[in-house]
Amino acid sequence: NAGVMQNPRHLVRRRGQEARLRCSPMKGHSHVYWYRQLPEEGLKFMVYLQKENIIDESGMPKERFSAEFPKEGPSILRIQQVVRGDSAAYFCASSPRSGVGTEAFFGQGTRLTVV
Amino acid sequence: GIQVEQSPPDLILQEGANSTLRCNFSDSVNNLQWFHQNPWGQLINLFYIPSGTKQNGRLSATTVATERYSLLYISSSQTTDSGVYFCAVERTSSSNTGKLIFGQGTTLQVKP
């Protein structure tokens, strides 16, 4: 069973460019979460999605960031007009359902560097 | 929101030593997980343990939900145990979205 797959593993973007981070959940998982880890910090929740729906985006910056989880294909975290402060590790997690008794499994992360 | 505090923040051990890492949380939870982030940045699931005790090889964990803490035990530590250990919880609420709140981690260095 393949785990949560994220790509690319490393991404370098110049200020002002767009960054697209992809996440394929584990087989059979329909719930996807994105977390961000800023340098020397713990992980912070950004957004929770089910297929074609954003359920909770309370941790997502209001501007420049968006996420989607289409019916077909991976979940995408999109950052427009990147700035140096967006440099971080972005982790995706998936679970088979939400609610009580659900373990989340994490991908290997995408390390975004903005130069 | 819920507070998740981990202690100690840093820990240095000699290979072969045992250690206990602690995670305190300020509200009732229906999910608690322990993770190991290795020096390459990969986040590895260790335990899903909202209550009770589990063991996996040299690692074991205990969560006492009523007293709002969890412990991670590492026995006979090895250099490959080095890295950051995170505790993460999901607060019990009507929404039950599965959103995890992470502690700040315990950074462990095991010396040969």
Side-chain angles (χ1 to χ4, degrees):
Chain A
N1 239 356
V4 178
M5 304 299 292
Q6 290 188 249
N7 66 80
R9 292 288 308 281
H10 300 274
L11 183 60
V12 179
R13 284 288 178 266
R14 295 187 183 278
R15 280 177 296 170
Q17 290 185 319
E18 179 180 286
R20 280 183 176 242
L21 288 62
R22 294 174 185 78
C23 169
S24 296
M26 286 179 70
K27 187 176 180 180
H29 288 194
S30 58
H31 299 253
V32 165
Y33 305 81
W34 286 92
Y35 292 82
R36 178 168 67 174
Q37 185 177 32
L38 292 167
E40 308 301 325
E41 291 192 16
L43 284 83
K44 298 280 197 295
F45 167 81
M46 298 181 74
V47 62
Y48 162 43
L49 310 101
Q50 295 178 23
K51 284 286 186 182
E52 300 185 277
N53 288 302
I54 297 174
I55 308 302
D56 181 349
E57 55 182 347
S58 57
M60 193 97 99
K62 296 286 184 260
E63 296 179 352
R64 302 187 297 109
F65 285 73
S66 62
E68 62 177 12
F69 189 17
K71 187 177 180 181
E72 302 291 338
S75 175
I76 306 288
L77 179 67
R78 183 182 177 204
I79 311 172
Q80 295 178 288
Q81 300 175 324
V82 295
V83 301
R84 290 244 170 93
D86 296 332
S87 295
Y90 292 82
F91 288 90
C92 169
S94 75
S95 67
R97 62 187 186 279
S98 66
V100 178
T102 304
E103 183 175 4
F105 295 85
F106 280 74
Q108 293 183 317
T110 293
R111 274 143 194 87
L112 172 65
T113 303
V114 179
V115 298
Chain B
I2 189 170
Q3 304 298 315
V4 182
E5 295 181 357
Q6 292 187 240
S7 60
D10 300 283
L11 186 58
I12 300 175
L13 299 175
Q14 275 311 122
E15 201 168 25
N18 303 329
S19 63
T20 301
L21 282 57
R22 187 177 180 101
C23 173
N24 292 333
F25 41 95
S26 60
D27 205 344
S28 61
V29 300
N30 57 28
N31 183 0
L32 188 147
Q33 294 185 237
W34 282 97
F35 299 91
H36 175 213
Q37 188 167 37
N38 64 22
W40 296 270
Q42 297 174 335
L43 202 61
I44 299 162
N45 284 41
L46 294 178
F47 293 102
Y48 166 73
I49 187 164
S51 63
T53 298
K54 289 186 178 179
Q55 179 154 9
N56 184 2
R58 296 181 295 103
L59 302 182
S60 63
T62 295
T63 297
V64 184
T66 52
E67 297 187 20
R68 298 183 182 169
Y69 73 88
S70 182
L71 302 173
L72 177 68
Y73 305 97
I74 305 174
S75 64
S76 305
S77 58
Q78 300 176 358
T79 55
T80 51
D81 295 332
S82 295
V84 184
Y85 289 80
F86 288 106
C87 164
V89 304
E90 177 191 1
R91 188 173 67 90
T92 300
S93 70
S94 58
S95 57
N96 287 328
T97 61
K99 175 171 76 175
L100 292 173
I101 308 300
F102 280 76
Q104 288 299 100
T106 291
T107 300
L108 172 65
Q109 182 183 359
V110 180
K111 294 187 172 182

